[in-house]
Amino acid sequence: MASTTDNNNDLFLGFDLSTQQLKIIASYGNLLPFKTYRVDFDSELGEKYGIKKGVIKIEKTGEIYAPVEMWIEALDLCFSKMKEDNFPFKQVKSMSGSCQQHGSVYWSDKAPELFSNLTSSKPLKDQLCPTAFTFQTSPNWQDHSTGLEIEAFEKQVGGEAQLAKITGSKAHYRFTGPQIRKLATRKDPAKYHETYRISLISSFLSSLLCNKITKIEESDGCGMNLYDIEKSQFDEGLLALAAGVSPEIDGASKEERAKGIAELKEKLGEVEPVGHQSVGNIGSYFVEKYGFDANCEVNSFTGDNLATIIALPLAKSDILVSMGTSTTVLLVTDQYKPSPNYHIFKHPTIPGHYMGMLCYCNGALAREQIRDKINLKYKVGKDEDPWAKFNSILDASKPLNGKLELGIHFPLGEIIPNAKPCERRFTFDLKANKLVELTPEKAWSLEEDVASIIESQALSCRLRAGPMLQVDDNDDGSSSNVTSEHDKEVLNKLSKFGKTQSDGILQNDKAVVAKPNKVFFVGGSSKNTSIVHKYCSIFGAKQGNYKIDLSDACALGGCFKAAWSFQQKDKSEEEDYGVWLNRKYDWNHGVETLTKYKDLWDEYVDGVGLLSLAEQRLEK
């Protein structure tokens, strides 16, 4: 995974506190891996805490949460495993990591004193729990109990588009702001007011390690529905709403509003800016109990998706496509182009840049349904490769089935675009110059579904990534500012479909012709070369396509950030994280460069226009 040019014994730790486990990866300063340790919550702590798949579910209310004490015990347990393995704690110079996003932890005013009086003779959980916390559980990202709150958040600012413009996302059940409002207004207002500080799970873990409450890391703070990304500060109107003192929603007076905002600001504290700075040294508890060097630094922790993008040398206009049960697209951009249908966060290590995130429900499941129908039709045996026939049809297909056709396959309700479950097929009638829906009576074969589902999924990513990939944004992006003759031909070809749009928002011409630099493919379906090659053909990456195993991405991102941060200490000028990681990264190990595909970006221009029109027909 990494270059072997550095030779020293310094170690760096990367943490990943996910829903179902705590993982710690140790690597050298040259990024070569050393060892990995983990605690599985269900098998090792499940019976004690009554959890299943890492959480407790209350079906009646939609609440899904995890015991904070379990995470604290898991930290000690993981370090104990390392100690039993004679892990060289003294060699650790710095640490960072990732945690599940959006979840929150609520400290009592007793927490600072408890931290200052920790002793290594007792387990950490016995010294902090329950007294250090006002709420003993933390909401999980799967929680869906805040329906009332997300309605209020969008009403507060005038709709989901305006909320996305301010905070980078529309309101979501799992986001921290709605969760805080639920606690402050209807779950337990008294405990809310007793709360001394509120951490995200990422700053909670760094707090444990430092033995003091650390600040919320800025990029992870963008997932709260509270932070004004462009202004780099919490939005006071949204803070008032979260605290239950909005004049518009709660009928609060000006005095009540001001008091409530001040209270919540104090609970949240200031944010830790993105970058390499240390948030403190490892706490004395861990120095005495496990043998860490007292000068070992803790760098700010971030969210899991944010850590994933720093586990690879992703630069501006690079894309990461995670092809699992669902499909997630992460990209690096210097363009703040928010939309209600995706997320934008500040980049955790590159100032002035952002991470865009597209999350699709219908990924592998939708593809597998068509594969199964193909196998049934061609009587594919159980002992045969289940993807062989599907792939052979896909490899032989022409763009848009050679006749301007595209199908949309949503066995589940879709997030992007917001649509109910459906299976619909369309063609574009060139003579009538209009979109025509194909009914079962009209010609469309099961074999045509094979290419159609892969194409529509890839084209949706291409369409929505465009605004964030757009460059030279000093103009309105109109065709008069598109200078390339090739791009002008592309726009002329698209004109028959009318103005290109996604999610009800018109796209300017520069966004439509924008291409990514590099594209990385990870996840289960990335092992299917035929599917990945089709994506490559459609995306038109300018600097190559790559396939990589990224199973430990979140913890590795923490390792890499820790090493980069430590190595900036004695430099007069900070080395850009992307430049640093690209220099350290071993592209010859664990990375497959994809070359056996045809670049058909031009041939799929019509697909962009076709998809834009077809999505406008879908029922929300």
Side-chain angles (χ1 to χ4, degrees), residues 214-253:
T214 60
K215 298 175 183 177
I216 290 172
E217 189 265 346
E218 189 175 18
S219 63
D220 203 18
C222 295
M224 301 175 74
N225 277 150
L226 293 175
Y227 197 70
D228 188 319
I229 293 179
E230 289 188 293
K231 293 180 180 178
S232 297
Q233 63 185 32
F234 287 112
D235 180 90
E236 291 201 346
L238 294 171
L239 288 178
L241 181 65
V245 291
S246 165
E248 298 85 357
I249 305 297
D250 303 303
S253 66

Side-chain angles (χ1 to χ4, degrees), residues 214-222 227 232-233 269-279 299-302 346-352 561 564-565 574:
T214 60
K215 298 175 183 177
I216 290 172
E217 189 265 346
E218 189 175 18
S219 63
D220 203 18
C222 295
Y227 197 70
S232 297
Q233 63 185 32
E270 296 180 354
V271 299
E272 186 69 45
V274 298
H276 68 268
Q277 62 275 6
S278 166
V279 298
N299 297 101
S300 58
F301 283 49
T302 191
K346 286 199 172 190
H347 193 287
T349 56
I350 306 177
K561 181 183 177 183
W564 168 71
S565 299
E574 176 182 312

Side-chain angles (χ1 to χ4, degrees), residues 475-512:
D475 53 63
D476 62 5
S478 66
S479 57
S480 62
N481 291 300
V482 174
T483 57
S484 161
E485 290 302 319
H486 170 265
D487 289 349
K488 288 180 179 179
E489 290 177 12
V490 167
L491 294 171
N492 183 58
K493 187 177 182 182
L494 263 177
S495 62
K496 61 180 172 286
F497 299 102
K499 271 288 185 183
T500 303
Q501 63 173 281
S502 60
D503 313 314
I505 301 172
L506 292 177
Q507 288 202 6
N508 68 49
D509 294 329
K510 282 193 171 181
V512 173

Side-chain angles (χ1 to χ4, degrees), residues 170 325-327 341 359-363 365-366 369 408-423 457 618-620:
K170 69 178 183 181
T325 302
S326 57
T327 298
N341 287 83
C359 300
Y360 295 87
C361 284
N362 293 282
L365 174 64
Q369 285 190 357
I408 293 176
H409 307 266
F410 294 162
L412 301 173
E414 186 51 79
I415 303 171
I416 306 176
N418 181 14
K420 291 182 178 180
C422 65
E423 185 174 280
Q457 290 179 338
L618 302 182
E619 186 179 356
K620 295 183 179 180

Side-chain angles (χ1 to χ4, degrees), residues 197-465:
R197 287 287 295 275
I198 299 173
S199 290
L200 294 180
I201 300 174
S202 56
S203 56
F204 156 76
L205 185 51
S206 60
S207 298
L208 292 182
L209 292 164
C210 289
N211 294 173
K212 67 176 184 179
I213 299 175
T214 60
K215 298 175 183 177
I216 290 172
E217 189 265 346
E218 189 175 18
S219 63
D220 203 18
C222 295
M224 301 175 74
N225 277 150
L226 293 175
Y227 197 70
D228 188 319
I229 293 179
E230 289 188 293
K231 293 180 180 178
S232 297
Q233 63 185 32
F234 287 112
D235 180 90
E236 291 201 346
L238 294 171
L239 288 178
L241 181 65
V245 291
S246 165
E248 298 85 357
I249 305 297
D250 303 303
S253 66
K254 288 183 179 180
E255 292 75 17
E256 289 170 328
R257 179 183 187 273
K259 183 179 178 182
I261 290 173
E263 180 186 4
L264 183 50
K265 275 186 175 181
E266 189 172 343
K267 294 182 192 304
L268 294 171
E270 296 180 354
V271 299
E272 186 69 45
V274 298
H276 68 268
Q277 62 275 6
S278 166
V279 298
N281 287 355
I282 189 78
S284 61
Y285 173 85
F286 300 103
V287 173
E288 295 168 9
K289 188 162 187 172
Y290 300 106
F292 280 99
D293 188 298
N295 293 315
C296 173
E297 295 184 345
V298 179
N299 297 101
S300 58
F301 283 49
T302 191
D304 47 12
N305 288 298
L306 293 153
T308 298
I309 64 166
I310 60 174
L312 282 172
L314 292 177
K316 174 185 169 183
S317 297
D318 290 345
I319 289 179
L320 174 68
V321 183
S322 178
M323 308 175 78
T325 302
S326 57
T327 298
T328 302
V329 178
L330 306 177
L331 62 87
V332 178
T333 176
D334 63 355
Q335 301 292 312
Y336 185 67
K337 300 279 187 176
S339 165
N341 287 83
Y342 53 75
H343 308 278
I344 290 191
F345 303 80
K346 286 199 172 190
H347 193 287
T349 56
I350 306 177
H353 285 67
Y354 308 91
M355 179 191 79
M357 182 168 74
L358 309 173
C359 300
Y360 295 87
C361 284
N362 293 282
L365 174 64
R367 295 189 290 267
E368 288 167 4
Q369 285 190 357
I370 292 175
R371 177 205 63 186
D372 292 345
K373 290 178 183 178
I374 288 289
N375 289 347
L376 184 64
K377 179 176 180 177
Y378 286 91
K379 299 179 181 179
V380 175
K382 292 183 179 179
D383 297 331
E384 298 179 65
D385 179 356
W387 286 100
K389 188 60 183 178
F390 181 99
N391 290 346
S392 68
I393 295 170
L394 182 62
D395 292 340
S397 66
K398 297 179 180 179
L400 307 175
N401 286 320
K403 45 188 177 181
L404 281 183
E405 291 180 350
L406 191 68
I408 293 176
H409 307 266
F410 294 162
L412 301 173
E414 186 51 79
I415 303 171
I416 306 176
N418 181 14
K420 291 182 178 180
C422 65
E423 185 174 280
R424 300 175 69 177
R425 301 168 180 87
F426 300 90
T427 188
F428 191 80
D429 187 331
L430 289 172
K431 291 183 179 179
N433 200 41
K434 66 177 183 179
L435 185 73
V436 177
E437 182 160 8
L438 296 173
T439 61
E441 293 76 29
K442 294 188 178 181
W444 184 285
S445 69
L446 177 59
E447 288 77 7
E448 288 172 315
D449 276 339
V450 170
S452 181
I453 187 169
I454 306 302
E455 289 173 340
S456 61
Q457 290 179 338
L459 284 165
S460 178
C461 298
R462 169 173 158 175
L463 176 64
R464 289 170 171 84

